[in-house]
Amino acid sequence: MEARHLRYAVALAEHEHFGRAAGELGIAQPPLSKQIADLEREVGARLFDRTRQGVFPTAAGEAFLARARRALDEIAAATIDAGRAARGETGRLRLGFIASALLDPLPGVLSRFGRERPDVRLELHEMATSRSSSALVAGELDVALTLGPPRGAGAEHLASLPIGRDHVIAVVSTVHPYAGQQSVSADQLRRQPLIVSAGEDEPAVVAGLRTLLGTDSSALGGATVARDVHTIIGLAASGVGVGLGPSRMRAVPRPGVRFCEVTPRTSLPDLVLSFAARDHSPVLRAFLDTIRKNCPDVGAALNDRLRLHT
């Protein structure tokens, strides 16, 4: 029994006439009569009464047709669902990200992706670079936003490209002596209690701070350790010390703080987008397309990565 047998039976029941049903189906009447007869033999019961007034379902036919209509509806729905999945309109995307990516570019990317793909289930995980890198390699994430590219065993199987650049700035409370300055020097920072990211979570950031302050800096050694940029800003607002973090911290609308440039200017690792090079999931491709739309300056590089791993 095939789907066409179900369609033939439903069409015959609706038109109550072999000729009219055949016309609706776009076939000749004799093949339709044969197919219905074959169906009745397979079912083992007469499904239609042939009378002078027309062709009408029997009791067995009514029972068969009820399920046949549901089966055809399911087949149609399955076809629609398959098409939507192939276009990346349904499914799941697991995204790991560092907190500072929520300042830029994630808000615009997630907002647009949610509007364009409302039926995709987003699983969002705030993670330090070290954790999201290992999770991506292990297949626990589909895509990750990290500071610097993932490193370690398995990272060679990932496609990575920078989507944002940053440098170190300082944040202080409005009553701090540095609050009125446009910039602060490394020498000034060495004389202050500092607030920084955890070295085990963001080693590349701490490496940049060591370059700025010196590897043997007592200020860095005794710094308060914060989990993310929001904590750095909050502690600075509370007068705990001078917070050091990425320049995208300026996007946080927090009263009671001032931001200062740091001299010499010290670059931080790029914000890097990474995904499994051989992952051809339609949902991932749809997300990358949203990245391409919202971050047009990285579109060409993203296309190159995709061509390289195709």
Side-chain angles (χ1 to χ4, degrees):
M1 188 183 302
E2 300 177 15
R4 61 187 171 87
H5 293 110
L6 306 184
R7 288 194 295 270
Y8 292 168
V10 169
L12 183 57
E14 289 175 351
H15 291 281
E16 300 177 346
H17 189 277
F18 275 103
R20 290 193 295 270
E24 168 74 17
L25 294 167
I27 62 175
Q29 179 174 331
L32 175 60
S33 298
K34 182 179 183 304
Q35 292 293 325
I36 294 297
D38 290 344
L39 177 61
E40 288 176 323
R41 278 193 296 273
E42 183 171 352
V43 172
R46 185 164 47 86
L47 301 178
F48 292 93
D49 282 329
R50 287 81 164 163
T51 72
R52 291 174 182 247
Q53 291 73 33
V55 182
F56 305 100
T58 62
E62 292 289 3
F64 179 85
L65 287 165
R67 290 190 178 272
R69 291 187 177 98
R70 289 199 292 272
L72 290 173
D73 287 342
E74 286 297 315
I75 291 171
T79 301
I80 293 171
D81 289 348
R84 297 190 68 209
R87 294 188 296 271
E89 296 175 2
T90 61
R92 177 184 68 167
L93 184 78
R94 301 166 298 172
L95 170 64
F97 60 92
I98 58 170
S100 62
L102 278 176
L103 306 178
D104 181 64
L106 267 188
V109 170
L110 293 179
S111 177
R112 185 170 197 160
F113 189 76
R115 290 195 307 271
E116 295 179 351
R117 312 280 169 166
D119 293 325
V120 171
R121 187 170 78 256
L122 278 173
E123 294 183 5
L124 305 175
H125 306 276
E126 181 189 339
M127 292 180 173
T129 293
S130 56
R131 173 70 184 98
S132 60
S133 296
S134 60
L136 187 59
V137 169
E140 298 167 5
L141 294 176
D142 302 305
V143 62
L145 287 173
T146 60
L147 279 180
R151 301 185 184 279
E156 68 275 12
H157 301 301
L158 302 177
S160 300
L161 73 156
I163 63 171
R165 290 177 167 80
D166 222 327
H167 62 278
V168 176
I169 64 169
V171 56
V172 297
S173 73
T174 52
V175 298
H176 192 278
Y178 296 167
Q181 299 181 194
Q182 293 296 314
S183 66
V184 295
S185 68
D187 285 338
Q188 287 178 304
L189 291 174
R190 291 188 190 100
R191 298 194 295 270
Q192 293 289 319
L194 301 179
I195 309 161
V196 300
S197 299
E200 63 272 18
D201 289 339
E202 301 296 347
V205 174
V206 175
L209 295 179
R210 287 199 182 101
T211 299
L212 171 68
L213 300 172
T215 56
D216 58 349
S217 171
S218 59
L220 190 57
T224 297
V225 175
R227 186 176 63 87
D228 56 37
V229 293
H230 304 284
T231 306
I232 291 174
I233 294 172
L235 291 174
S238 302
V240 171
V242 178
L244 296 177
S247 59
R248 64 171 59 94
M249 287 196 303
R250 295 182 187 276
V252 179
R254 174 78 188 236
V257 298
R258 295 288 184 271
F259 295 98
C260 310
E261 289 294 326
V262 172
T263 57
R265 187 184 178 101
T266 301
S267 295
L268 288 174
D270 292 336
L271 180 65
V272 173
L273 171 76
S274 300
F275 52 93
R278 299 301 180 185
D279 186 348
H280 300 295
S281 158
V283 173
L284 173 61
R285 298 299 155 150
F287 183 78
L288 296 179
D289 187 54
T290 302
I291 292 284
R292 188 183 291 106
K293 293 174 183 175
N294 269 57
C295 309
D297 52 327
V298 303
L302 178 56
N303 292 340
D304 288 343
R305 294 294 190 283
L306 293 175
R307 280 194 295 269
L308 178 65
H309 296 289
T310 298

